[in-house]
Amino acid sequence: MTEKLAILGSTGSIGTQGLEVCDSVGTIEVLGLTANKNIGLLEDQIRKYRPKLAAVMNEDKARALKENVKDTDTKILAGMEGICTVAAMEGTDTVLNSLVGNVGLHPTVEAINSGKTLALANKETLVTSGELVMKLVKEKGIKLHPVDSEHSAIFQCLQGNKGNKIKKIHLTASGGPFRGYKSLKDVTLNQALHHPNWDMGKKITIDSATMMNKGLEVIEAKWLFDVDVDQINVVVHPQSIIHSMVEFEDSAVIAQLGEPDMRLPISYALTYPKRVKNDFPKVDFFKIGTLTFEKPDLKVFRCLGLALKAIKTGGTAPAVLNAANEVAVSRALKKDIKFYEIGELIEKTVDAYTVKYNYTLSDVFEADEWAREYARNIEV
């Protein structure tokens, strides 16, 4: 169970909820915090939790924060070097990586190399470099606890079932705001930013609307649980009560259920193997009444299909897919492209790239950089 924690991305959705979990548990000391540029909230967190270190990716903002909190004992660091220093800092036993995007890869590697338990919410780490990261996890002998609700559910279903072979993973998806639509051409950005079940940041909310997030989660699940892609079945479950299921060789299916509240998987990741009492919302089965399941429509949600194709292609293809998606979502949020053009931009980028196999981390970063440059400039 976590005693001393560093949170990477403490001002984001997962980071702030991670701090709520710390408040609820009551025994976790927060020693490190990082943010991209939201120094107002980070200053509030510094004054409340009194961490030893805090880092800000934006160096100008870091200088401003340093001046603002000079009356505290918290040391302020800047840039990627600062983020990585917090990830590897002395005194912590666990790092919650809730950074958004491939920027989370370097700090993940630093945390693993430093022997920390890793509570991983940064999906891009495994999407772009899953094979390399999981190999490093095994070499260093560290514990990796998934934070995504679906992967946490699978992780929980496997407890007490070690040694039993997985037949299939049923990865659930809410279907997002456009479940049942026959086309996404007429939907608006504003509609896409309103998820029916989850309260998340803009990037992941858009990913949910395109169902790219589920494609990325398939890739994560493959590496986390050492299964073939064909063993992962995406199931649209609009109530978001069953967070995923594991089917074993005897055809028994074990499911994990709970309210759509990210504090629950965060809590399990930080307090594992214990389950700590909290006052978070509880499932009311009589109020829910019915749980339903559907197949995803890959023609409408082309991003899901593109992700499945990328992981089957292998090599650096998922890294290119991920980078193209990040750029496409950014362009859509700036209204530079229409929402439905996100998939088109990603597909054009992936198709223009020559995949590299037997890759290294350097190859991943090169693929990422190439894809971003291509996706920024392509017309759709």
Side-chain angles (χ1 to χ4, degrees), residues 98-115:
S98 62
L99 297 172
V100 177
N102 205 39
V103 69
L105 179 54
H106 267 315
T108 292
V109 172
E110 289 297 322
I112 295 170
N113 281 330
S114 300

Side-chain angles (χ1 to χ4, degrees), residues 335-346:
K335 299 186 178 179
D336 182 43
I337 62 172
K338 293 184 177 2
F339 172 80
Y340 76 88
E341 293 176 323
I342 290 174
E344 185 178 340
L345 188 152
I346 295 167

Side-chain angles (χ1 to χ4, degrees), residues 165-170 245-249 251-253:
K165 193 173 180 182
I166 296 172
K167 181 179 179 181
K168 193 172 282 291
I169 288 172
H170 300 283
M245 302 169 275
V246 177
E247 182 178 347
F248 294 94
E249 284 197 305
S251 298
V253 179

Side-chain angles (χ1 to χ4, degrees), residues 172-222:
T172 58
S174 68
F178 307 129
R179 180 179 64 87
Y181 279 44
K182 298 304 179 185
S183 171
L184 301 181
K185 284 200 170 184
D186 295 326
V187 304
T188 67
L189 179 64
N190 189 53
Q191 286 175 300
L193 286 169
H194 287 82
H195 194 281
N197 298 337
W198 295 93
D199 182 15
M200 307 173 290
K202 287 185 178 181
K203 196 269 181 182
I204 193 171
T205 302
I206 295 295
D207 282 350
S208 180
T210 64
M211 287 198 73
M212 175 58 87
N213 75 315
K214 207 52 52 179
L216 300 180
E217 287 170 10
V218 169
I219 300 173
E220 282 185 274
K222 177 209 168 11

